[in-house]
Amino acid sequence: MRARYNGAADWYAARSRTWAEDNRDEVLGLLGPGAGRRCLDLGCGNGGYFGIVEETGRELIGLDRSSDQLRLARQRPQPVPLVEGDSVHLPFAEASFDDVLALWISTDLDDFGGTVREIARVLKPGGFFYFYGVHPCFNGPHVEYQEDGGRLAHPTYRVAGWHEPQRWWAGDGIRATVGMRHVPLAELLNAFLAAGLQLDHVVEPDAGPVPAALAIRARR
């Protein structure tokens, strides 16, 4: 299957220009210090979070399936080793990383559970998986945004996997441009448990009354 962001990387870079900075404090709070820790940024995209993660002292390697996204990541001022690869067949040996980071990728993956199993495989014993992404209850293809800031969850919440376009997918957002997968909350949490990961910390890091994001720190 063609990488979904091939041909859309420049559009995404323009749209997401401030997103990393918008989430800076929350991401740094989730990660904490990590001097010398070898960290895989899985689904790194154009490398928008590289600088923030490097502030923690971690030694980064970026992986993405989209060659178009990696083209932009290579243009970042501070070079980071980059690998083009599939998240369910990571090209790394077992116990290769102290940390694995996945930022905003759950709705792009064909196999979330398989990805988490691979993450557990490449983590060292005692290593951490940091998930920061779409809140499965209040964000995603089943959600219609309301003028008062509320969210209307449609019955399609129960539909796991890729969603067909819906009438509430207005504008030129990510849902309409590259599509979106939905991972219901139970499926998401069970993927961690099935991979043998232990949940260490969970937070809904959003300033608004209805959170758009969910962050999880899990230990191998």
Side-chain angles (χ1 to χ4, degrees), residues 25-91:
D25 292 344
E26 290 81 1
V27 171
L28 289 175
L30 179 69
L31 292 175
R37 294 179 69 84
R38 191 166 188 249
C39 178
L40 174 64
D41 185 350
L42 193 156
C44 65
N46 60 31
Y49 285 88
F50 285 170
I52 293 173
V53 178
E54 287 177 328
E55 286 181 30
T56 70
R58 288 173 169 82
E59 299 173 359
L60 268 176
I61 294 176
L63 179 140
D64 204 277
R65 190 174 180 184
S66 169
S67 58
D68 204 15
Q69 289 275 51
L70 293 176
R71 169 181 60 84
L72 297 181
R74 291 189 180 94
Q75 298 173 14
R76 296 274 169 184
Q78 299 298 324
V80 168
L82 298 173
V83 178
E84 183 177 342
D86 190 333
S87 65
V88 294
H89 301 289
L90 294 176

Side-chain angles (χ1 to χ4, degrees), residues 3-181:
R4 291 181 180 84
Y5 284 81
N6 280 354
D10 291 302
W11 166 86
Y12 181 79
R15 188 176 185 86
S16 63
R17 183 174 52 85
T18 67
W19 290 359
E21 285 300 315
D22 293 344
N23 296 313
R24 167 188 288 276
D25 292 344
E26 290 81 1
V27 171
L28 289 175
L30 179 69
L31 292 175
R37 294 179 69 84
R38 191 166 188 249
C39 178
L40 174 64
D41 185 350
L42 193 156
C44 65
N46 60 31
Y49 285 88
F50 285 170
I52 293 173
V53 178
E54 287 177 328
E55 286 181 30
T56 70
R58 288 173 169 82
E59 299 173 359
L60 268 176
I61 294 176
L63 179 140
D64 204 277
R65 190 174 180 184
S66 169
S67 58
D68 204 15
Q69 289 275 51
L70 293 176
R71 169 181 60 84
L72 297 181
R74 291 189 180 94
Q75 298 173 14
R76 296 274 169 184
Q78 299 298 324
V80 168
L82 298 173
V83 178
E84 183 177 342
D86 190 333
S87 65
V88 294
H89 301 289
L90 294 176
F92 305 107
E94 293 183 11
S96 295
F97 295 95
D98 300 291
D99 298 318
V100 175
L101 173 65
L103 295 162
W104 301 105
I105 68 167
S106 60
T107 53
D108 293 320
L109 299 173
D110 292 307
D111 185 355
F112 183 76
T115 296
V116 178
R117 285 194 298 273
E118 273 290 271
I119 289 169
R121 182 184 68 80
V122 301
L123 273 175
K124 296 177 181 178
F128 286 97
F129 170 35
Y130 298 92
F131 170 91
Y132 191 113
V134 165
H135 196 302
C137 300
F138 307 119
N139 198 353
H142 62 291
V143 170
E144 183 175 359
Y145 293 85
Q146 306 295 293
E147 291 183 0
D148 65 358
R151 314 274 171 82
L152 174 61
H154 287 270
T156 48
Y157 170 80
R158 291 287 187 183
V159 180
W162 288 94
H163 280 226
E164 294 297 320
Q166 302 292 338
R167 58 175 175 76
W168 55 87
W169 292 16
D172 62 347
I174 289 175
R175 294 188 291 190
T177 303
V178 297
M180 185 171 278
R181 186 190 193 278

